Amino acid sequence: MPRSPETVAARPPHTFRTVFPVLALCWLAVFFDGMDVNIYGAVMPHMLDDAGLGLTPATAGTIGSWTTFGMLIGALTAGNLTDWLGRRLMLVASVTLFSVGSAVCAVAAGVGLFGAGRFISGLGLGGLMPLCLAMVMEFAPPRRAALTTGLLMTSYHFGGMAATGLGLTLAPAAGWRWVFWAGVLPAVIVVPLLLKLLPESPGVLLARGEREKADAVADRFGLPRPTPVAAPAAGAAGRLAAVRALFHPDSRWATPLLWLASFSGLLLVYGVSTWLPQMMRAEGYGLNSSVSFLMVINAGGIIGLLIAGRTADKFGAVRVSAIWFVLTAAGALLLKSHLPLGATYIVVAVTGVFLFSAQVMVYAATNTVYRDSERAAGLGWVTGVGRTGAVVGPWLIGALANNGNQSWGFTTFALAGLLGALAIALVPLARRIGRSGSPALTPVTAEAAGTGASGR
Protein backbone atom coordinates (compact mmCIF):
# COMPACT_ATOMS: atom_id res chain seq x y z
CA MET A 1 0.00 0.00 0.00
CA PRO A 2 1.66 3.29 -1.07
CA ARG A 3 2.05 5.96 1.55
CA SER A 4 0.85 9.50 1.01
CA PRO A 5 3.22 12.44 1.57
CA GLU A 6 1.14 13.39 4.61
CA THR A 7 1.60 9.92 6.14
CA VAL A 8 5.35 9.99 5.53
CA ALA A 9 5.63 13.49 7.01
CA ALA A 10 3.68 12.42 10.12
CA ARG A 11 5.95 9.48 10.85
CA PRO A 12 8.33 10.08 13.77
CA PRO A 13 12.05 9.51 13.21
CA HIS A 14 13.38 6.03 14.00
CA THR A 15 15.44 6.82 17.11
CA PHE A 16 15.89 5.47 20.62
CA ARG A 17 13.38 8.04 21.81
CA THR A 18 10.56 6.87 19.54
CA VAL A 19 10.99 3.19 20.38
CA PHE A 20 11.73 3.77 24.08
CA PRO A 21 8.41 2.29 25.34
CA VAL A 22 9.14 -1.03 23.63
CA LEU A 23 12.75 -1.16 24.77
CA ALA A 24 11.80 -0.18 28.33
CA LEU A 25 9.12 -2.86 28.64
CA CYS A 26 11.46 -5.54 27.28
CA TRP A 27 14.16 -4.27 29.65
CA LEU A 28 11.78 -4.65 32.62
CA ALA A 29 10.75 -8.17 31.57
CA VAL A 30 14.38 -9.28 31.22
CA PHE A 31 15.20 -7.67 34.58
CA PHE A 32 12.84 -10.13 36.27
CA ASP A 33 14.19 -12.91 34.04
CA GLY A 34 17.66 -12.22 35.42
CA MET A 35 16.34 -12.05 38.97
CA ASP A 36 14.59 -15.40 38.64
CA VAL A 37 17.59 -17.15 37.05
CA ASN A 38 19.98 -15.88 39.75
CA ILE A 39 17.70 -16.42 42.75
CA TYR A 40 18.59 -20.11 42.92
CA GLY A 41 22.33 -19.50 43.03
CA ALA A 42 21.90 -16.66 45.53
CA VAL A 43 20.02 -18.81 48.06
CA MET A 44 21.59 -22.22 47.34
CA PRO A 45 24.02 -22.04 50.32
CA HIS A 46 21.03 -21.41 52.62
CA MET A 47 19.04 -24.22 51.00
CA LEU A 48 21.92 -26.68 51.40
CA ASP A 49 21.97 -25.78 55.11
CA ASP A 50 18.21 -26.48 55.40
CA ALA A 51 18.12 -30.13 56.56
CA GLY A 52 14.33 -30.28 56.19
CA LEU A 53 14.48 -29.68 52.46
CA GLY A 54 16.97 -32.49 51.78
CA LEU A 55 18.98 -30.70 49.10
CA THR A 56 22.46 -32.09 48.33
CA PRO A 57 25.12 -30.78 45.90
CA ALA A 58 24.19 -33.51 43.41
CA THR A 59 20.45 -32.78 43.51
CA ALA A 60 21.19 -29.04 43.47
CA GLY A 61 23.00 -29.44 40.15
CA THR A 62 20.24 -31.65 38.78
CA ILE A 63 17.57 -29.10 39.71
CA GLY A 64 19.65 -26.40 38.05
CA SER A 65 19.57 -28.51 34.90
CA TRP A 66 15.80 -28.99 35.22
CA THR A 67 15.47 -25.23 35.12
CA THR A 68 17.57 -24.92 31.99
CA PHE A 69 15.90 -27.96 30.40
CA GLY A 70 12.62 -26.14 30.84
CA MET A 71 14.27 -23.12 29.23
CA LEU A 72 15.34 -25.30 26.29
CA ILE A 73 11.78 -26.48 25.73
CA GLY A 74 10.44 -22.96 26.17
CA ALA A 75 12.91 -21.50 23.69
CA LEU A 76 12.24 -24.14 21.02
CA THR A 77 8.43 -24.01 21.32
CA ALA A 78 7.95 -20.27 21.73
CA GLY A 79 8.31 -19.68 17.99
CA ASN A 80 5.41 -21.96 17.02
CA LEU A 81 3.18 -20.53 19.75
CA THR A 82 4.08 -17.02 18.58
CA ASP A 83 2.40 -17.82 15.23
CA TRP A 84 -0.83 -18.27 17.18
CA LEU A 85 -0.59 -15.83 20.08
CA GLY A 86 1.87 -13.22 18.78
CA ARG A 87 4.98 -11.98 20.58
CA ARG A 88 3.08 -9.71 22.95
CA LEU A 89 0.87 -12.40 24.47
CA MET A 90 3.75 -14.89 24.47
CA LEU A 91 5.76 -12.45 26.57
CA VAL A 92 2.81 -12.18 28.97
CA ALA A 93 2.58 -15.99 29.14
CA SER A 94 6.33 -16.30 29.75
CA VAL A 95 6.33 -13.81 32.64
CA THR A 96 3.27 -15.51 34.16
CA LEU A 97 4.88 -18.94 33.95
CA PHE A 98 8.10 -18.08 35.71
CA SER A 99 6.17 -16.19 38.40
CA VAL A 100 4.00 -19.26 39.02
CA GLY A 101 7.11 -21.43 39.13
CA SER A 102 8.63 -19.17 41.77
CA ALA A 103 5.49 -19.51 43.89
CA VAL A 104 5.69 -23.30 43.64
CA CYS A 105 9.30 -23.16 44.83
CA ALA A 106 8.32 -20.97 47.77
CA VAL A 107 5.82 -23.54 49.09
CA ALA A 108 7.77 -26.70 48.21
CA ALA A 109 8.29 -29.07 51.15
CA GLY A 110 10.80 -31.28 49.31
CA VAL A 111 13.22 -31.29 46.40
CA GLY A 112 10.72 -32.96 44.04
CA LEU A 113 8.15 -30.15 44.14
CA PHE A 114 10.91 -27.55 44.26
CA GLY A 115 12.44 -29.01 41.09
CA ALA A 116 9.01 -28.96 39.41
CA GLY A 117 8.72 -25.28 40.27
CA ARG A 118 12.11 -24.55 38.74
CA PHE A 119 11.13 -26.48 35.61
CA ILE A 120 7.94 -24.41 35.29
CA SER A 121 9.99 -21.25 35.73
CA GLY A 122 12.35 -22.48 33.04
CA LEU A 123 9.52 -22.85 30.54
CA GLY A 124 8.71 -19.17 30.93
CA LEU A 125 12.31 -18.00 31.07
CA GLY A 126 13.25 -19.90 27.92
CA GLY A 127 10.55 -18.27 25.84
CA LEU A 128 11.07 -14.76 27.18
CA MET A 129 14.68 -14.08 26.20
CA PRO A 130 14.48 -14.87 22.45
CA LEU A 131 11.19 -12.99 22.22
CA CYS A 132 12.64 -9.87 23.84
CA LEU A 133 15.80 -10.11 21.73
CA ALA A 134 13.74 -10.39 18.56
CA MET A 135 11.57 -7.43 19.59
CA VAL A 136 14.46 -5.09 20.37
CA MET A 137 16.35 -6.06 17.20
CA GLU A 138 13.22 -5.33 15.17
CA PHE A 139 12.64 -1.98 16.89
CA ALA A 140 16.33 -1.00 17.23
CA PRO A 141 17.36 2.26 15.52
CA PRO A 142 19.46 1.92 12.35
CA ARG A 143 23.03 0.71 12.92
CA ARG A 144 22.43 0.27 16.64
CA ALA A 145 21.51 -3.44 16.86
CA ALA A 146 24.50 -4.50 18.99
CA LEU A 147 24.23 -1.48 21.30
CA THR A 148 20.49 -2.05 21.75
CA THR A 149 21.06 -5.74 22.47
CA GLY A 150 23.72 -4.83 25.02
CA LEU A 151 21.44 -2.30 26.72
CA LEU A 152 18.67 -4.89 26.93
CA MET A 153 20.97 -7.44 28.51
CA THR A 154 22.10 -5.01 31.22
CA SER A 155 18.66 -5.59 32.71
CA TYR A 156 19.44 -9.29 33.15
CA HIS A 157 22.42 -8.36 35.33
CA PHE A 158 20.52 -5.72 37.29
CA GLY A 159 18.03 -8.51 37.97
CA GLY A 160 20.89 -10.77 39.03
CA MET A 161 22.12 -8.09 41.42
CA ALA A 162 18.61 -7.76 42.84
CA ALA A 163 18.49 -11.52 43.41
CA THR A 164 21.84 -11.38 45.17
CA GLY A 165 20.64 -8.51 47.35
CA LEU A 166 17.63 -10.61 48.34
CA GLY A 167 19.91 -13.54 49.07
CA LEU A 168 22.12 -11.39 51.30
CA THR A 169 19.32 -9.63 53.19
CA LEU A 170 15.97 -11.40 52.99
CA ALA A 171 17.21 -15.00 53.11
CA PRO A 172 19.16 -14.71 56.41
CA ALA A 173 16.41 -12.63 58.04
CA ALA A 174 13.24 -14.39 56.86
CA GLY A 175 14.38 -17.60 55.17
CA TRP A 176 15.10 -18.60 51.60
CA ARG A 177 11.41 -19.19 50.79
CA TRP A 178 10.65 -15.47 50.99
CA VAL A 179 13.20 -14.84 48.26
CA PHE A 180 11.14 -17.03 45.93
CA TRP A 181 7.96 -15.23 47.00
CA ALA A 182 9.63 -12.07 45.72
CA GLY A 183 9.86 -13.87 42.37
CA VAL A 184 6.06 -13.64 42.08
CA LEU A 185 6.27 -9.85 41.65
CA PRO A 186 6.66 -9.98 37.82
CA ALA A 187 3.11 -11.29 37.45
CA VAL A 188 1.86 -8.32 39.46
CA ILE A 189 4.06 -5.60 37.95
CA VAL A 190 5.03 -6.59 34.41
CA VAL A 191 2.01 -8.43 33.05
CA PRO A 192 -0.42 -5.45 33.32
CA LEU A 193 2.16 -3.14 31.69
CA LEU A 194 2.78 -5.53 28.79
CA LEU A 195 -0.94 -5.95 28.16
CA LYS A 196 -1.55 -2.21 28.19
CA LEU A 197 1.53 -0.70 26.53
CA LEU A 198 3.49 -3.23 24.43
CA PRO A 199 2.67 -3.25 20.70
CA GLU A 200 2.70 -6.38 18.60
CA SER A 201 5.64 -6.98 16.28
CA PRO A 202 4.99 -5.51 12.80
CA GLY A 203 6.77 -8.50 11.25
CA VAL A 204 4.56 -10.98 13.08
CA LEU A 205 1.42 -9.02 12.16
CA LEU A 206 2.45 -9.08 8.51
CA ALA A 207 3.17 -12.82 8.63
CA ARG A 208 -0.37 -13.31 9.96
CA GLY A 209 -1.79 -11.32 7.05
CA GLU A 210 -2.64 -8.20 9.08
CA ARG A 211 -0.99 -5.67 6.77
CA GLU A 212 -2.88 -2.59 8.01
CA LYS A 213 -2.09 -3.29 11.67
CA ALA A 214 1.57 -4.00 10.81
CA ASP A 215 1.89 -0.69 8.94
CA ALA A 216 0.12 1.20 11.74
CA VAL A 217 2.56 -0.08 14.39
CA ALA A 218 5.54 0.64 12.14
CA ASP A 219 4.31 4.19 11.46
CA ARG A 220 3.61 4.82 15.14
CA PHE A 221 7.19 4.01 16.17
CA GLY A 222 8.99 5.31 13.09
CA LEU A 223 10.01 1.87 11.81
CA PRO A 224 10.23 1.00 8.11
CA ARG A 225 7.06 -0.76 7.06
CA PRO A 226 7.68 -4.53 7.07
CA THR A 227 8.07 -6.41 3.81
CA PRO A 228 7.23 -10.08 3.18
CA VAL A 229 10.94 -11.01 3.08
CA ALA A 230 11.44 -9.59 6.58
CA ALA A 231 8.40 -11.30 8.07
CA PRO A 232 9.03 -14.50 10.04
CA ALA A 233 7.80 -17.73 8.50
CA ALA A 234 4.52 -18.96 9.96
CA GLY A 235 3.35 -22.50 10.63
CA ALA A 236 5.27 -25.76 10.78
CA ALA A 237 6.07 -25.79 7.05
CA GLY A 238 7.30 -22.22 7.16
CA ARG A 239 9.53 -22.93 10.14
CA LEU A 240 10.99 -26.02 8.50
CA ALA A 241 11.81 -23.95 5.43
CA ALA A 242 13.37 -21.28 7.67
CA VAL A 243 15.62 -23.89 9.31
CA ARG A 244 16.71 -25.23 5.90
CA ALA A 245 17.54 -21.67 4.87
CA LEU A 246 20.05 -21.43 7.73
CA PHE A 247 22.21 -23.87 5.77
CA HIS A 248 22.29 -22.05 2.44
CA PRO A 249 25.84 -21.71 1.00
CA ASP A 250 26.67 -18.43 2.75
CA SER A 251 25.88 -19.74 6.23
CA ARG A 252 25.92 -23.55 6.13
CA TRP A 253 29.28 -23.71 7.94
CA ALA A 254 28.74 -20.61 10.06
CA THR A 255 25.47 -21.92 11.55
CA PRO A 256 26.97 -24.85 13.52
CA LEU A 257 29.81 -22.60 14.69
CA LEU A 258 27.30 -20.09 16.06
CA TRP A 259 25.50 -22.96 17.80
CA LEU A 260 28.76 -24.17 19.36
CA ALA A 261 29.68 -20.66 20.51
CA SER A 262 26.22 -20.24 22.04
CA PHE A 263 26.51 -23.63 23.77
CA SER A 264 29.82 -22.58 25.33
CA GLY A 265 28.55 -19.15 26.31
CA LEU A 266 25.39 -20.40 27.98
CA LEU A 267 27.29 -23.15 29.78
CA LEU A 268 29.35 -20.35 31.29
CA VAL A 269 26.41 -18.04 32.03
CA TYR A 270 24.21 -20.62 33.76
CA GLY A 271 27.04 -22.58 35.33
CA VAL A 272 28.32 -19.40 36.97
CA SER A 273 24.87 -18.06 37.88
CA THR A 274 23.95 -21.33 39.59
CA TRP A 275 27.19 -22.34 41.26
CA LEU A 276 29.51 -19.37 41.81
CA PRO A 277 28.49 -18.67 45.45
CA GLN A 278 28.77 -22.32 46.47
CA MET A 279 32.04 -22.79 44.56
CA MET A 280 33.56 -19.77 46.28
CA ARG A 281 32.28 -20.98 49.65
CA ALA A 282 34.00 -24.33 49.01
CA GLU A 283 37.21 -22.40 48.31
CA GLY A 284 37.12 -21.10 51.88
CA TYR A 285 35.40 -17.72 51.55
CA GLY A 286 32.68 -16.75 54.03
CA LEU A 287 28.96 -17.20 53.29
CA ASN A 288 28.19 -13.50 52.80
CA SER A 289 31.30 -12.96 50.66
CA SER A 290 30.49 -16.02 48.56
CA VAL A 291 26.96 -14.79 47.80
CA SER A 292 28.15 -11.23 47.19
CA PHE A 293 30.49 -12.48 44.44
CA LEU A 294 27.33 -13.13 42.40
CA MET A 295 26.37 -9.47 42.74
CA VAL A 296 29.89 -8.34 41.80
CA ILE A 297 30.06 -10.52 38.68
CA ASN A 298 26.66 -9.20 37.54
CA ALA A 299 27.81 -5.63 38.13
CA GLY A 300 30.81 -6.39 35.92
CA GLY A 301 28.37 -7.82 33.37
CA ILE A 302 26.51 -4.52 33.14
CA ILE A 303 29.71 -2.59 32.47
CA GLY A 304 30.81 -5.21 29.96
CA LEU A 305 27.60 -5.04 27.97
CA LEU A 306 27.81 -1.26 27.67
CA ILE A 307 31.41 -1.54 26.48
CA ALA A 308 30.79 -4.52 24.21
CA GLY A 309 27.77 -3.00 22.45
CA ARG A 310 29.61 0.15 21.42
CA THR A 311 32.80 -1.74 20.58
CA ALA A 312 30.93 -4.28 18.45
CA ASP A 313 29.13 -1.55 16.53
CA LYS A 314 32.59 -0.25 15.60
CA PHE A 315 34.77 -3.35 15.23
CA GLY A 316 32.34 -6.23 14.76
CA ALA A 317 30.45 -8.55 17.11
CA VAL A 318 32.53 -11.58 16.09
CA ARG A 319 35.86 -10.00 17.01
CA VAL A 320 34.55 -8.70 20.33
CA SER A 321 32.93 -12.01 21.26
CA ALA A 322 36.09 -14.01 20.50
CA ILE A 323 38.34 -11.73 22.56
CA TRP A 324 35.82 -11.61 25.41
CA PHE A 325 35.64 -15.42 25.54
CA VAL A 326 39.43 -15.67 25.86
CA LEU A 327 39.50 -13.09 28.66
CA THR A 328 36.71 -14.98 30.43
CA ALA A 329 38.83 -18.15 30.31
CA ALA A 330 41.75 -16.25 31.84
CA GLY A 331 39.53 -14.93 34.65
CA ALA A 332 38.20 -18.41 35.42
CA LEU A 333 41.73 -19.76 35.79
CA LEU A 334 42.65 -16.90 38.13
CA LEU A 335 39.67 -17.69 40.35
CA LYS A 336 40.97 -21.22 40.76
CA SER A 337 43.77 -19.75 42.89
CA HIS A 338 42.78 -18.69 46.39
CA LEU A 339 43.59 -14.99 46.14
CA PRO A 340 43.18 -12.41 48.94
CA LEU A 341 39.57 -11.29 49.30
CA GLY A 342 40.09 -7.84 47.76
CA ALA A 343 41.94 -9.25 44.75
CA THR A 344 39.24 -11.90 44.31
CA TYR A 345 36.52 -9.24 44.15
CA ILE A 346 38.49 -7.47 41.42
CA VAL A 347 39.00 -10.65 39.40
CA VAL A 348 35.33 -11.59 39.74
CA ALA A 349 34.22 -8.13 38.59
CA VAL A 350 36.60 -8.08 35.61
CA THR A 351 35.58 -11.61 34.63
CA GLY A 352 31.95 -10.48 34.68
CA VAL A 353 32.82 -7.67 32.27
CA PHE A 354 33.72 -10.24 29.64
CA LEU A 355 31.75 -13.41 30.51
CA PHE A 356 28.17 -12.32 29.87
CA SER A 357 28.75 -9.97 26.94
CA ALA A 358 30.77 -12.64 25.09
CA GLN A 359 27.51 -14.62 24.79
CA VAL A 360 25.38 -11.58 23.94
CA MET A 361 27.74 -10.69 21.08
CA VAL A 362 27.14 -14.19 19.67
CA TYR A 363 23.49 -13.15 19.38
CA ALA A 364 24.51 -9.86 17.78
CA ALA A 365 26.67 -11.73 15.25
CA THR A 366 23.60 -13.51 13.88
CA ASN A 367 22.39 -10.13 12.66
CA THR A 368 24.90 -10.21 9.80
CA VAL A 369 25.30 -13.94 9.20
CA TYR A 370 21.67 -14.38 8.16
CA ARG A 371 19.47 -12.59 5.64
CA ASP A 372 16.39 -10.66 6.79
CA SER A 373 14.02 -13.57 6.15
CA GLU A 374 16.27 -15.96 8.14
CA ARG A 375 17.21 -13.73 11.05
CA ALA A 376 14.39 -14.67 13.42
CA ALA A 377 14.89 -18.38 12.82
CA GLY A 378 18.66 -18.02 13.05
CA LEU A 379 18.47 -16.21 16.40
CA GLY A 380 15.89 -18.68 17.70
CA TRP A 381 18.07 -21.68 16.90
CA VAL A 382 21.25 -20.06 18.22
CA THR A 383 19.49 -19.43 21.53
CA GLY A 384 17.65 -22.77 21.50
CA VAL A 385 20.64 -24.99 20.74
CA GLY A 386 22.73 -22.91 23.12
CA ARG A 387 20.31 -23.87 25.89
CA THR A 388 21.85 -27.34 25.85
CA GLY A 389 24.94 -25.67 27.29
CA ALA A 390 22.71 -24.12 29.94
CA VAL A 391 21.49 -27.62 30.82
CA VAL A 392 24.96 -29.16 30.88
CA GLY A 393 26.63 -26.38 32.92
CA PRO A 394 24.71 -26.62 36.23
CA TRP A 395 24.58 -30.43 36.05
CA LEU A 396 28.29 -30.82 35.34
CA ILE A 397 29.42 -28.46 38.11
CA GLY A 398 26.99 -30.19 40.47
CA ALA A 399 28.51 -33.57 39.65
CA LEU A 400 32.00 -32.18 40.31
CA ALA A 401 30.85 -30.60 43.58
CA ASN A 402 29.24 -33.83 44.74
CA ASN A 403 32.62 -35.54 44.37
CA GLY A 404 34.44 -32.75 46.18
CA ASN A 405 36.02 -31.37 43.00
CA GLN A 406 34.52 -27.87 42.93
CA SER A 407 37.85 -26.37 41.92
CA TRP A 408 37.62 -28.26 38.62
CA GLY A 409 34.58 -26.13 37.87
CA PHE A 410 36.86 -23.17 37.20
CA THR A 411 38.89 -25.28 34.74
CA THR A 412 35.63 -26.30 33.06
CA PHE A 413 34.65 -22.65 32.69
CA ALA A 414 38.08 -21.82 31.20
CA LEU A 415 37.80 -24.62 28.63
CA ALA A 416 34.27 -23.48 27.71
CA GLY A 417 35.60 -19.96 27.17
CA LEU A 418 38.36 -21.17 24.84
CA LEU A 419 35.92 -23.36 22.89
CA GLY A 420 33.53 -20.43 22.48
CA ALA A 421 36.37 -18.18 21.29
CA LEU A 422 37.48 -20.69 18.68
CA ALA A 423 33.97 -21.30 17.39
CA ILE A 424 32.98 -17.64 16.98
CA ALA A 425 36.38 -16.65 15.57
CA LEU A 426 35.98 -19.19 12.75
CA VAL A 427 32.62 -17.74 11.59
CA PRO A 428 34.11 -15.24 9.05
CA LEU A 429 36.29 -17.99 7.55
CA ALA A 430 33.30 -20.34 7.42
CA ARG A 431 31.29 -17.74 5.50
CA ARG A 432 34.09 -17.26 2.99
CA ILE A 433 34.37 -21.02 2.51
CA GLY A 434 30.62 -21.19 1.92
CA ARG A 435 30.77 -18.43 -0.68
CA SER A 436 33.82 -19.59 -2.58
CA GLY A 437 34.00 -23.30 -1.86
CA SER A 438 37.70 -22.96 -0.96
CA PRO A 439 39.32 -21.97 2.36
CA ALA A 440 41.08 -18.89 1.05
CA LEU A 441 42.69 -17.11 3.99
CA THR A 442 42.04 -13.52 3.05
CA PRO A 443 42.05 -10.71 5.61
CA VAL A 444 38.83 -10.39 7.59
CA THR A 445 36.89 -7.28 6.64
CA ALA A 446 34.60 -5.44 9.01
CA GLU A 447 31.60 -6.82 7.15
CA ALA A 448 32.83 -10.41 7.33
CA ALA A 449 33.62 -10.04 10.98
CA GLY A 450 29.97 -9.27 11.58
CA THR A 451 29.51 -5.75 12.85
CA GLY A 452 26.55 -5.71 15.14
CA ALA A 453 25.21 -2.64 13.37
CA SER A 454 24.58 -3.78 9.85
CA GLY A 455 22.73 -6.56 8.08
CA ARG A 456 22.61 -8.19 4.73
Side-chain angles (χ1 to χ4, degrees), residues 100-184:
V100 169
S102 193
V104 172
C105 289
V107 301
V111 294
L113 185 58
F114 181 85
R118 292 307 290 163
F119 177 77
I120 294 169
S121 291
L123 292 174
L125 296 167
L128 185 139
M129 186 64 75
L131 288 167
C132 284
L133 284 167
M135 284 289 282
V136 299
M137 284 188 175
E138 182 176 13
F139 280 79
R143 302 189 63 80
R144 288 295 181 267
L147 177 59
T148 306
T149 303
L151 289 172
L152 172 71
M153 294 304 296
T154 62
S155 61
Y156 175 93
H157 300 292
F158 277 113
M161 293 175 69
T164 308
L166 292 171
L168 286 170
T169 57
L170 189 58
W176 61 265
R177 295 181 186 276
W178 280 101
V179 180
F180 283 98
W181 280 121
V184 181

Side-chain angles (χ1 to χ4, degrees), residues 28 42 45 108 113 129 134 212 215 255 259 264 287 292 294 309 322 325 328 334 336 347 363 368 385 391 397-398 433:
L28 184 61
L113 185 58
M129 186 64 75
E212 291 186 3
D215 289 348
T255 289
W259 290 358
S264 302
L287 176 59
S292 65
L294 194 59
F325 269 125
T328 297
L334 282 174
K336 191 174 182 179
V347 172
Y363 297 150
T368 52
V385 173
V391 172
I397 305 304
I433 292 173

Side-chain angles (χ1 to χ4, degrees), residues 129-387:
M129 186 64 75
L131 288 167
C132 284
L133 284 167
M135 284 289 282
V136 299
M137 284 188 175
E138 182 176 13
F139 280 79
R143 302 189 63 80
R144 288 295 181 267
L147 177 59
T148 306
T149 303
L151 289 172
L152 172 71
M153 294 304 296
T154 62
S155 61
Y156 175 93
H157 300 292
F158 277 113
M161 293 175 69
T164 308
L166 292 171
L168 286 170
T169 57
L170 189 58
W176 61 265
R177 295 181 186 276
W178 280 101
V179 180
F180 283 98
W181 280 121
V184 181
L185 289 175
V188 179
I189 298 173
V190 181
V191 166
L193 292 174
L194 292 176
L195 288 172
K196 184 176 181 179
L197 301 175
L198 187 71
E200 184 53 89
S201 154
V204 169
L205 289 170
L206 181 61
R208 288 159 54 174
E210 301 179 59
R211 158 65 75 178
E212 291 186 3
K213 290 183 179 180
D215 289 348
V217 173
D219 291 346
R220 176 184 169 193
F221 291 94
L223 277 63
R225 289 188 171 185
T227 59
V229 72
R239 295 202 171 274
L240 182 60
V243 173
R244 286 198 302 266
L246 303 182
F247 292 90
H248 69 76
D250 277 11
S251 60
R252 60 188 170 191
W253 301 114
T255 289
L257 288 171
L258 288 170
W259 290 358
L260 182 58
S262 184
F263 170 90
S264 302
L266 288 176
L267 187 154
L268 283 164
V269 168
Y270 288 96
V272 168
S273 297
T274 303
W275 279 103
L276 181 64
Q278 187 60 25
M279 288 170 66
M280 300 304 284
R281 190 183 187 190
E283 290 293 315
Y285 296 96
L287 176 59
N288 284 344
S289 295
S290 298
V291 175
S292 65
F293 286 134
L294 194 59
M295 177 176 287
V296 171
I297 203 166
N298 276 291
I302 294 169
I303 297 170
L305 287 166
L306 296 174
I307 296 171
R310 290 186 176 276
T311 307
D313 278 331
K314 185 174 182 180
F315 297 106
V318 166
R319 287 193 183 100
V320 171
S321 182
I323 294 170
W324 265 224
F325 269 125
V326 171
L327 294 172
T328 297
L333 290 177
L334 282 174
L335 290 176
K336 191 174 182 179
S337 305
H338 192 94
L339 302 171
L341 184 60
T344 303
Y345 274 117
I346 294 172
V347 172
V348 169
V350 173
T351 302
V353 169
F354 303 115
L355 188 157
F356 299 102
S357 50
Q359 170 64 21
V360 173
M361 291 304 106
V362 174
Y363 297 150
T366 66
N367 206 39
T368 52
V369 170
Y370 300 118
R371 297 174 292 199
D372 288 346
S373 58
E374 303 154 6
R375 198 162 293 147
L379 179 60
W381 277 87
V382 167
T383 56
V385 173
R387 294 292 182 195

